[in-house]
Amino acid sequence: MKNFTRLACFSLCFILSLSAWAQKDPQGVKGPNGLVRCLTTEMDTELSNRYPEQTISKEEFEEWLAPKIEEFKVNQALTSLQQPVLTIPVVIHIIHDGDPINVAGGELSENISYAQAVSQVDVLNEDFRRLMGTPGAGETNYNAGVDVEIEFCLATQDPNGAASNGVNRVNLCQESWSTADIDGIVKPETIWDPTKYMNMWSVNFTDSSLLGYAQFPNSSGLGGLNTNNGPADTDGVVSNYNAFGTLAQDDGSFILNNTYNLGRTMTHEVGHYLGLRHIWGDGACSVDDFCDDTPNSDGANFGCAMDSSCGSMDMSENYMDYSDDSCMNTFTEDQKTRMLTVMMNSPRRMELPTSIGCSAGTASTNDIEVRLTCFTENICEVGFSPGIEIINKGTAAVTEATITYSVNGDAAQTYEYTGNLNQFDIASINLPSVDGINGNNTVNVSVTDVNGTTDEVASNNLDSDEYIYANDGDITEYNATTYFLELVTDDYGSETTYEVTDASGNVLYEGGPYEDNTTINDEFTVENNECFQFTIFDAFGDGICCGYGDGSYSLTTGDGTVVIEGGQFEDSESVAFRANQSLSVKENAFANFAIYPNPADNVLNISLNNTNELPETVKVFNTLGQAVVTKSVTNSSDLNVNVSSLQKGIYFVRIENETTSGVVKFVKN
Ligand SMILES: [Zn+2]
């Protein structure tokens, strides 16, 4: 069954406004290993295009910053006092789709371990303070590395003042995210007050070649310019989950990229967040990064390059180049001045050193925070299951809790949680299916009792959300049990997949990804009088037509009746339908044959309702539609199939002769 995030409306609204300008996420510069080190500059251009009224150009920003840098230098020269070290409170948002939290020896996913997440903060401190033992901090081309005198602390209180472990783990019920949806959905949904915390996100990028991106700081007080209200809720730094943290602290639970595994993706992105540009200025020799002590360069360096350009050795060891993690170790004096100037003057930066984000938060004994996550649709009737997360914010382990929920103001239902949640642990729960309506549904959920006593903090006991349910319960019925898919891919066939699921969400058939601009013809046979869902996906979220090739798809019955067709969609498009084949007397011969045992271990027996007519063949198909067993039938003693060699899973047995056929699903143990 397909999960839909709680953000159904948000997502839709966003897509409607987004579609006006973006068909594809910005594409970064790929290095020799096929990975995109950083997408900050491209995303900055994207933001400017999106909010032309609200964002300032690179030139305007530099015009604003330059005199402030001069002022900073003058003040520094005048005073012999040491500049105090500035500390930035950090919150780490781990975005996942419900996978278990990574543990040593377990299956590893984007739901990274706490140890991996917080190891990133240590890397930032090592790199920005140029601490002893910082990987790579040895001999370099220029030996120009300095202590930036900015450091980072993991938040110990959340925006409500409650105690926090600095990690906000959120199930958004989607495995991977485009940059457009990260800025449009993930960040606004999860961000903590950006004037109190530097927000860091660990996500699974849909574009798996991308490592990270940041949002540049803003200026303020520029005549005729707004102060950037839009991008406030996208401010921060993002990296792919496998570039977050450092291998140096791996306790077996870490999942890291082979090359970029020392946490320098985030060191680089935080450099951008504090106003640094790439050292080649994103241009040729004449383009500057506004730092005099980073020699001009004509482009990014990859690997551990020792190259010259523009008449000098490149400073490939600079964190703002694209070198491998192990070959970076330098922020220069001018980069430091630039970052400190931004820290003192830029909105959502200058407030950070005085934030109370790293002061101890209040911890109650019995306190649960509840939030709605995603809704699971029941495809065959009007109903859905609300998904929730409960987080133990109290100091006492939670062994039981009472959760109350209601839809559209109907009578409240109660769910009793039992388990064992330590402080800051999270439990994901799918509440039992509720009746809904076709259209907008308001879902309310609340926690009342914790450990048999009243929850002490009322402010985090409620959550409410709108869920758009687009199903009137009238599932279209088709006079067919065999369906035909014709799929023509666009210029990005690798983004296209599909699946056919039954009413319980089991995947019966699936296909893709595919080659570009190719035609696929698949055939599915399903059980009669059952309900199914066909879904086509585009991993990039821009459908299979019309900007990047002319893809299309159609699902039809044998007589050409169209179940669904199209090509212009976003992330996915689906249809639920019921197979309701009315059978002729002759077809009835094979319509409702029986099989036993089911599940089957070795031999599957076939029992016909009408033994006057025998099939000519018995075939077994796997869920990819491939015939894995074919057997000829000459007399009734042939009505069995040896399935002992098949792998465990779902299969279909089809009996057929020239004029008729019948299909039954079975499970191989
Ligand atoms: Zn960058």
Side-chain angles (χ1 to χ4, degrees):
M1 202 168 298
K2 199 65 206 139
N3 283 323
F4 294 81
T5 75
R6 61 179 304 192
L7 311 155
C9 168
F10 199 112
S11 169
L12 187 67
C13 306
F14 179 77
I15 285 162
L16 288 176
S17 59
L18 185 70
S19 56
W21 71 75
Q23 273 296 303
K24 279 282 180 201
D25 285 352
Q27 303 289 291
V29 179
K30 283 198 164 107
N33 57 10
L35 297 178
V36 178
R37 193 80 170 97
C38 171
L39 200 68
T40 300
T41 312
E42 293 81 359
M43 288 300 285
D44 186 53
T45 306
E46 183 80 4
L47 271 182
S48 305
N49 293 340
R50 201 176 299 171
Y51 305 104
E53 309 287 304
Q54 295 181 27
T55 45
I56 57 170
S57 69
K58 177 180 170 182
E59 290 72 24
E60 286 166 323
F61 179 79
E62 296 305 333
E63 205 175 300
W64 171 80
L65 190 65
K68 293 187 159 48
I69 288 177
E70 288 315 308
E71 196 180 328
F72 178 90
K73 285 178 175 168
V74 168
N75 285 341
Q76 230 187 8
L78 285 177
T79 174
S80 57
L81 291 175
Q82 186 95 23
Q83 173 72 34
V85 172
L86 303 176
T87 303
I88 299 178
V90 169
V91 56
I92 299 169
H93 307 281
I94 300 173
I95 308 302
H96 65 99
D97 71 347
D99 295 320
I101 297 170
N102 292 349
V103 292
E107 196 173 322
L108 303 177
S109 74
E110 77 283 353
N111 198 2
I112 60 173
S113 67
Y114 184 80
Q116 180 176 342
V118 303
S119 73
Q120 183 61 60
V121 179
D122 291 339
V123 172
L124 294 180
N125 284 325
E126 287 169 357
D127 292 352
F128 279 78
R129 295 304 314 273
R130 197 167 169 76
L131 295 181
M132 291 291 286
T134 301
E139 196 68 9
T140 65
N141 293 342
Y142 283 92
N143 288 316
V146 299
D147 173 3
V148 177
E149 299 183 293
I150 294 175
E151 57 189 36
F152 304 84
C153 62
L154 197 59
T156 48
Q157 67 170 270
D158 70 15
N160 300 316
S164 168
N165 65 357
V167 169
N168 182 34
R169 199 179 289 278
V170 187
N171 176 10
L172 288 181
C173 309
Q174 184 172 312
E175 189 179 10
S176 68
W177 294 87
S178 66
T179 51
D181 284 350
I182 289 168
D183 277 17
I185 298 170
V186 174
K187 287 172 165 185
E189 178 69 16
T190 55
I191 194 167
W192 288 13
D193 183 347
T195 66
K196 295 195 170 73
Y197 307 90
M198 179 174 81
N199 285 267
M200 305 183 79
W201 284 272
S202 162
V203 300
N204 184 2
F205 287 125
T206 302
D207 177 358
S208 59
S209 67
L210 178 58
L211 294 177
Y213 67 95
Q215 186 167 313
F216 283 121
N218 292 323
S219 66
S220 71
L222 282 171
L225 289 169
N226 292 329
T227 49
N228 247 328
N229 297 318
D233 63 5
T234 57
D235 203 359
V237 287
V238 191
S239 89
N240 203 47
Y241 67 97
N242 70 359
F244 202 104
T246 173
L247 196 64
Q249 297 185 20
D250 188 5
D251 60 3
S253 69
F254 289 28
I255 178 167
L256 284 165
N257 185 292
N258 286 333
T259 308
Y260 305 106
N261 53 18
L262 296 177
R264 264 64 190 268
T265 296
M266 272 306 191
T267 300
H268 174 109
E269 298 309 338
V270 173
H272 284 312
Y273 171 85
L274 296 176
L276 299 188
R277 301 196 175 270
H278 293 137
I279 56 163
W280 68 99
D282 294 297
C285 291
S286 60
V287 184
D288 197 13
D289 68 345
F290 304 95
C291 291
D292 292 340
D293 59 3
T294 57
N296 283 352
S297 169
D298 64 354
N301 287 295
F302 295 92
C304 294
M306 298 284 276
D307 287 343
S308 296
S309 66
C310 312
S312 59
M313 195 77 176
D314 287 349
M315 191 186 274
S316 56
E317 71 269 30
N318 196 286
Y319 291 119
M320 301 316 290
D321 205 334
Y322 278 2
S323 305
D324 287 355
D325 277 14
S326 58
C327 304
M328 295 178 148
N329 61 20
T330 297
F331 285 124
T332 66
E333 188 65 41
D334 283 350
Q335 287 177 321
K336 171 184 178 174
T337 299
R338 195 174 160 87
M339 288 192 272
L340 289 175
T341 306
V342 162
M343 282 300 293
M344 287 164 194
N345 293 283
S346 279
R348 301 195 300 269
R349 304 290 181 274
M350 60 184 177
E351 302 92 334
L352 295 173
T354 52
S355 160
I356 56 169
C358 288
S359 309
T362 310
S364 305
T365 309
N366 292 296
D367 175 23
I368 279 184
E369 176 182 330
V370 65
R371 60 186 176 215
L372 283 154
T373 55
C374 26
F375 299 91
T376 308
E377 274 197 17
N378 187 332
I379 62 169
C380 294
E381 54 195 78
V382 180
F384 56 88
S385 165
I388 62 166
E389 285 181 321
I390 57 173
I391 304 127
N392 182 7
K393 304 287 280 188
T395 52
V398 171
T399 54
E400 54 180 2
T402 305
I403 291 142
T404 308
Y405 61 105
S406 68
V407 178
N408 302 325
D410 293 348
Q413 302 180 56
T414 299
Y415 177 88
E416 297 291 343
Y417 166 82
T418 56
N420 186 26
L421 287 182
N422 291 316
Q423 189 181 22
F424 307 129
D425 281 358
I426 296 178
S428 291
I429 299 164
N430 279 325
L431 296 172
S433 185
V434 294
D435 295 335
I437 55 168
N438 182 28
N440 261 27
N441 291 271
T442 302
V443 183
N444 289 307
V445 61
S446 65
V447 176
T448 45
D449 283 6
V450 180
N451 293 333
T453 179
T454 306
D455 188 295
E456 291 163 46
V457 181
S459 58
N460 58 14
N461 286 353
L462 295 171
D463 198 15
S464 180
D465 213 338
E466 293 274 302
Y467 177 52
I468 299 172
Y469 189 71
N471 180 353
D472 58 8
D474 291 334
I475 305 273
T476 307
E477 297 183 338
Y478 294 95
N479 184 21
T481 51
T482 301
Y483 295 80
F484 301 89
L485 174 70
E486 181 170 296
L487 170 61
V488 182
T489 61
D490 64 2
D491 297 345
Y492 292 85
S494 62
E495 298 169 5
T496 306
T497 55
Y498 74 81
E499 63 184 32
V500 179
T501 51
D502 67 15
S504 305
N506 298 310
V507 176
L508 303 180
Y509 298 96
E510 58 192 336
Y514 298 106
E515 302 284 310
D516 303 340
N517 302 304
T518 186
T519 300
I520 296 100
N521 282 288
D522 283 355
E523 182 180 332
F524 326 113
T525 301
V526 296
E527 279 183 290
N528 205 10
N529 298 316
E530 293 288 335
C531 178
F532 301 92
Q533 183 160 278
F534 169 86
T535 308
I536 187 162
F537 299 95
D538 183 84
F540 222 100
D542 67 346
I544 56 174
C545 94
C546 303
Y548 297 85
D550 197 15
S552 64
Y553 75 98
S554 68
L555 185 70
T556 53
T557 66
D559 66 4
T561 305
V562 175
V563 179
I564 186 170
E565 64 184 347
Q568 196 162 12
F569 57 94
E570 305 282 346
D571 296 311
S572 69
E573 188 162 66
S574 66
V575 62
F577 60 98
R578 189 179 290 280
N580 185 18
Q581 190 164 44
S582 56
L583 302 155
S584 68
V585 173
K586 186 169 173 55
E587 286 168 327
N588 259 328
F590 296 157
N592 294 307
F593 71 93
I595 53 169
Y596 62 92
N598 186 13
D601 292 304
N602 297 310
V603 175
L604 185 74
N605 298 293
I606 294 162
S607 168
L608 299 177
N609 289 340
N610 177 355
T611 48
N612 292 333
E613 187 173 358
L614 280 177
E616 290 167 359
T617 353
V618 179
K619 288 181 177 171
V620 175
F621 292 87
N622 64 17
T623 57
L624 299 172
Q626 298 160 329
V628 289
V629 178
T630 301
K631 179 181 180 181
S632 297
V633 176
T634 50
N635 59 58
S636 58
S637 66
D638 293 326
L639 289 173
N640 54 64
V641 194
N642 186 337
V643 295
S644 58
S645 63
L646 299 183
Q647 295 190 328
K648 287 182 182 181
I650 296 171
Y651 292 88
F652 302 89
V653 57
R654 181 155 89 183
I655 60 173
E656 60 190 28
N657 62 22
E658 279 177 6
T659 54
T660 185
S661 67
V663 173
V664 171
K665 182 171 73 177
F666 74 97
V667 175
K668 167 67 170 69
N669 268 335

